[in-house]
Amino acid sequence: ESTGMLEISLNDTANAESISSLIQNITYNNMDTADVSEGYRTVRFVLWDNEGASSEARDTTLTVYEINDAPVIQNLAGDTVPYEEGSDPIRIDLGMDALATDVDTTTFSGGTLKVDFDGWASIVEDNNGFSVDRLSIMDGGSGAGQIGFGGYVYAGATGYGDVFYEGTKIGVVIQNADVGTSEPPLKISFSEEASPEAVSALIQSITYENTNSVDAIEGERTIRFNLYDGERKSDAVGMD
């Protein structure tokens, strides 16, 4: 590995064939994966013989482009959350340590958080995402680190309501679909104030409730989280 200048000393076994192969295997890499400086890089090749004579310089030009890295949700996959029939809504992230990150942005403006049940689109009368299974947002208040939510989310109807972080609006619930549709049951659209800290707190505040307090269908519900930064989405994070 080298930076700036790569100089290779050749021994007496180096012939034209091996040197040609060496030149063909010279590589370039940019180590800045978060905020790369876009533009052209001119790479110059010069070959010296053992008597100090050099070849003409040969230049090749590389064009470096920045790409949008997908956001990441950490500390959530694989969690198992118990829910007892008749209970109030519970936070899905019991440890409240879910973390949303994106290496190339400080805001999720224009992005969304989608939360759904695995197999939601094909469910008709199944226990995984049945109509009494509801996803919503815990209204924690307007204090430090808290998520506020004054609307409602109801399976089979349209959810609505502004979402706040520390009293500042960060987004709005824009979708709450019924079972059997291709839309997620819970979808939040973000504004410019939706920082990674705010979105992390929101993920920690997503709740599950089963409204059948008499004869709830037992079994696992796999809940998936997808975070979009406006261009790319995170890998789906699932938990039971």
Side-chain angles (χ1 to χ4, degrees):
E1 182 177 333
S2 178
T3 57
M5 170 74 74
L6 175 63
E7 184 174 335
I8 303 168
S9 296
L10 304 173
N11 60 29
D12 56 6
T13 65
N15 55 32
E17 182 179 358
S18 62
I19 294 172
S20 296
S21 180
L22 172 62
I23 294 171
Q24 294 165 13
N25 284 277
I26 301 298
T27 63
Y28 168 84
N29 186 31
N30 191 300
M31 304 301 292
D32 188 349
T33 60
D35 189 25
V36 66
S37 176
E38 293 187 313
Y40 299 108
R41 311 290 195 269
T42 299
V43 181
R44 174 164 295 173
F45 292 79
V46 180
L47 178 63
W48 280 265
D49 64 19
N50 57 5
E51 295 181 356
S54 66
S55 68
E56 293 184 11
R58 290 291 185 262
D59 294 343
T60 186
T61 301
L62 303 171
T63 305
V64 178
Y65 297 97
E66 184 176 15
I67 65 170
N68 178 33
D69 294 285
V72 176
I73 300 175
Q74 298 174 293
N75 304 331
L76 191 62
D79 285 3
T80 299
V81 182
Y83 180 85
E84 184 176 337
E85 178 183 275
S87 298
D88 291 332
I90 61 169
R91 294 177 188 267
I92 297 171
D93 180 21
L94 285 180
M96 294 187 64
D97 58 355
L99 183 64
T101 60
D102 194 328
V103 297
D104 48 19
T105 186
T106 59
T107 176
F108 285 94
S109 177
T112 55
L113 174 67
K114 297 181 181 181
V115 189
D116 68 356
F117 297 95
D118 187 22
W120 178 260
S122 61
I123 293 167
V124 179
E125 294 181 350
D126 192 279
N127 70 330
N128 191 1
F130 194 58
S131 61
V132 294
D133 289 334
R134 299 183 184 176
L135 300 172
S136 190
I137 303 168
M138 182 75 73
D139 180 18
S142 58
Q146 292 181 331
I147 289 291
F149 180 60
Y152 79 93
V153 177
Y154 182 83
T158 300
Y160 75 94
D162 294 335
V163 182
F164 299 86
Y165 176 67
E166 298 182 345
T168 299
K169 182 179 176 180
I170 63 168
V172 61
V173 173
I174 60 173
Q175 177 69 47
N176 184 240
D178 200 358
V179 293
T181 72
S182 60
E183 290 296 325
L186 180 59
K187 181 178 179 181
I188 301 106
S189 176
F190 294 125
S191 62
E192 186 175 351
E193 289 74 19
S195 65
E197 293 78 15
V199 174
S200 296
L202 173 60
I203 294 173
Q204 296 166 16
S205 299
I206 301 299
T207 64
Y208 168 82
E209 179 188 16
N210 189 297
T211 59
N212 185 345
S213 61
V214 177
D215 189 25
I217 300 174
E218 294 184 334
E220 291 186 348
R221 278 54 161 183
T222 299
I223 300 171
R224 298 178 303 186
F225 290 73
N226 273 300
L227 179 60
Y228 297 73
D229 65 6
E231 295 183 28
R232 297 186 66 185
K233 71 173 182 175
S234 65
D235 291 334
V237 177
M239 55 185 299
D240 300 325

